[in-house]
Amino acid sequence: MSSSNEQYLTLPDERVLAYAQCGNLQSNTVVIWFHGIMAVGEAKKLPKGLDGKDVHFISPTLPGLRAFHEVVPKDTLALILHLHPDALTNDDFRLFVAGGSYGTVPAQIVYGCSHDLFPLNTSQKMKGCLLASGFCPMYRFPEFTSHLTWANYIAIGSWSVAIPFRLIPRLITVGISLQVNTLEKARSFVQKFIIDKMSEEERRSIEAAQGRTVEEVRDHMGDIVFRSTQKSWEGYIDFSHAANSDWKLRPEVFKQAPGDEIEAELTTPRVLVTTTHEDDLAAPVFSEWSAKNFKNAELKVYPGGHIGILGYMKEVWEALLAYDE
C-alpha cells in the first residue's frame, strides 16, 4: 500500500528512494522534511505555515541502513539534484532541512555532516534547520539514557545496540507488528500510545491548528504507521543503532567557547529547536541540549505532549522561513 503521490528515484547503487513532493516544484526555495519512526514520506499538500508560500516541499522515505551518517546525506543530495539539477550552481537556491521526532536525527546529520558528503549545507545555501520534538546527538550527550522512559530505554538505550544481531529491536518489532498488522489495529495503536495521553487543551489546540478532529489526526497517523510497517520494518530495526552511533557532525557546528554564536551568524545555518513541556517520547532535555550546544540555535517551548507541536506548526514554519529574510 503506497502513498497516492509517492514517487521513486533509482540511486547510483541501484537502491530505490521513495519520496513525495508538493508546492511549487520549480521554486528555488526547497524544504526537506524527514518523518518520524514507523512513517513514510508524505506531501499531499503544503503544511499550514508553508501554504501560500513559494516553496518546494519534499519528504523522502528514510532508508533502513546502518551507515546512516553517510547514506542520508548522499541520498538527500541525489534527490535534490534530481529535482533541482542546478542547486549547486544556482545562487538563488535556498534550502531548509527539517525533521520531527526521529526525523530530527537525519535532519541534524544533513545539517552538520561534512561538505564533501553534502555540499549544500553551507550558510550560503542552507538557511535553516528545524528540529521539532526530537533528539540531540546522543554520542555527545552520554547522560541521555537517564532521561528516557523505561520503554524508550529498552528500545533505544545503549544496551539495545550492545547486544549483537540487532536482537532487541527485532524482538520489539515482533510485539509491535501484532498491534499494527491491520489498519484498524494501527489506528488503535496510535490512540493508545499518543491520543489517550493528550489533555483536552492539547486536543483543542491541534484541532484548531490542523482543521480536523483529533480522531481524524489519529486515523491519518494510523494509516501512515500501517503503510510503513507493511512495506518494511528496517527503519525501526535500525533506529537504535542510528541514534546511538557517531553521526560524524563537523565540530564547528557546535559552540566551542563563549562568543562563538557571534561568528556563527555569518558562517553557520540557523537552527530552530522546538519541544513541548510534557513530551515523554523525546524528552525536552534533548531539545534543550541542542539549543544550548549548536551554534546559531534558538529554542521554542510549547504546551502539550509529543505531538502537541502540531498545534503550533504554522507559527514554527513561519519562524523557520523567516531565517532567510
Side-chain angles (χ1 to χ4, degrees):
M1 192 173 181
S2 62
S3 172
S4 59
N5 66 339
E6 192 170 68
Q7 298 173 267
Y8 305 94
L9 172 65
T10 300
L11 299 164
D13 61 3
E14 300 302 318
R15 287 182 300 113
V16 176
L17 177 65
Y19 67 96
Q21 60 178 333
C22 64
N24 179 4
L25 307 191
Q26 283 74 49
S27 175
N28 285 320
T29 301
V30 171
V31 178
I32 300 288
W33 170 258
F34 293 108
H35 60 73
I37 199 74
M38 291 196 296
V40 295
E42 188 177 56
K44 293 182 179 178
K45 63 179 181 179
L46 288 174
K48 293 183 183 298
L50 295 182
D51 53 343
K53 307 290 186 182
D54 181 25
V55 299
H56 181 189
F57 185 86
I58 307 169
S59 182
T61 294
L62 293 170
L65 293 170
R66 285 195 175 196
F68 217 58
H69 65 278
E70 293 182 2
V71 172
V72 169
K74 289 181 178 179
D75 288 1
T76 305
L77 181 63
L79 178 58
I80 293 173
L81 293 181
H82 170 68
L83 299 173
H84 293 269
D86 66 344
L88 291 170
T89 57
N90 181 357
D91 291 339
D92 295 325
F93 183 85
R94 298 289 184 269
L95 176 65
F96 295 88
V97 294
S101 189
Y102 169 53
T104 59
V105 176
Q108 288 171 83
I109 291 173
V110 169
Y111 159 78
C113 70
S114 74
H115 298 314
D116 290 339
L117 274 178
F118 194 80
L120 292 172
N121 60 0
T122 64
S123 58
Q124 290 76 29
K125 294 290 186 181
M126 184 180 290
K127 297 304 175 181
C129 174
L130 169 62
L131 309 176
S133 299
F135 299 88
C136 63
M138 296 177 181
Y139 71 100
R140 294 183 67 100
F141 184 37
E143 300 86 6
F144 84 92
T145 54
S146 64
H147 300 283
L148 297 173
T149 63
W150 274 110
N152 274 348
Y153 180 74
I154 293 172
I156 64 172
S158 54
W159 79 298
S160 67
V161 296
I163 297 176
F165 309 117
R166 296 180 291 176
L167 180 61
I168 297 302
R170 289 185 186 279
L171 289 175
I172 293 173
T173 60
V174 173
I176 296 179
S177 64
L178 298 176
Q179 302 179 63
V180 298
N181 58 4
T182 70
L183 189 55
E184 288 306 314
K185 284 183 178 181
R187 291 174 175 178
S188 297
F189 180 84
V190 173
Q191 179 73 40
K192 178 180 178 180
F193 289 99
I194 300 292
I195 306 301
D196 286 347
K197 297 179 180 181
M198 295 166 55
S199 67
E200 284 302 316
E201 179 183 358
E202 186 175 352
R203 289 169 180 259
R204 288 194 297 269
S205 171
I206 291 175
E207 288 181 340
Q210 296 292 312
R212 51 184 173 172
T213 66
V214 166
E215 289 72 26
E216 289 172 322
V217 172
R218 173 205 61 202
D219 289 350
H220 179 67
M221 293 178 66
D223 294 352
I224 292 174
V225 169
F226 180 69
R227 273 211 320 265
S228 170
T229 55
Q230 286 295 295
K231 182 178 293 186
S232 173
W233 280 96
E234 285 305 303
Y236 185 91
I237 290 172
D238 283 340
F239 173 47
S240 61
H241 189 280
N244 284 275
S245 66
D246 184 343
W247 299 355
K248 308 294 184 183
L249 303 185
R250 304 189 317 278
E252 60 265 29
V253 302
F254 298 103
K255 295 176 183 176
Q256 307 295 327
D260 273 358
E261 63 276 6
I262 298 175
E263 179 184 358
E265 291 184 6
L266 298 175
T267 61
T268 310
R270 297 184 66 180
V271 181
L272 176 57
V273 187
T274 69
T275 186
T276 52
H277 291 293
E278 300 171 10
D279 193 337
D280 63 341
L281 295 179
V285 69
F286 300 147
S287 295
E288 293 166 2
W289 188 99
S290 294
K292 180 180 179 181
N293 288 277
F294 278 119
K295 290 181 179 178
N296 224 3
E298 68 171 317
L299 176 67
K300 292 181 180 290
V301 184
Y302 296 94
H306 189 56
I307 69 167
I309 193 65
L310 292 180
Y312 305 92
M313 283 304 294
K314 181 178 185 295
E315 172 185 329
V316 170
W317 283 121
E318 290 174 345
L320 181 69
L321 290 186
Y323 286 167
D324 191 33
E325 294 178 354

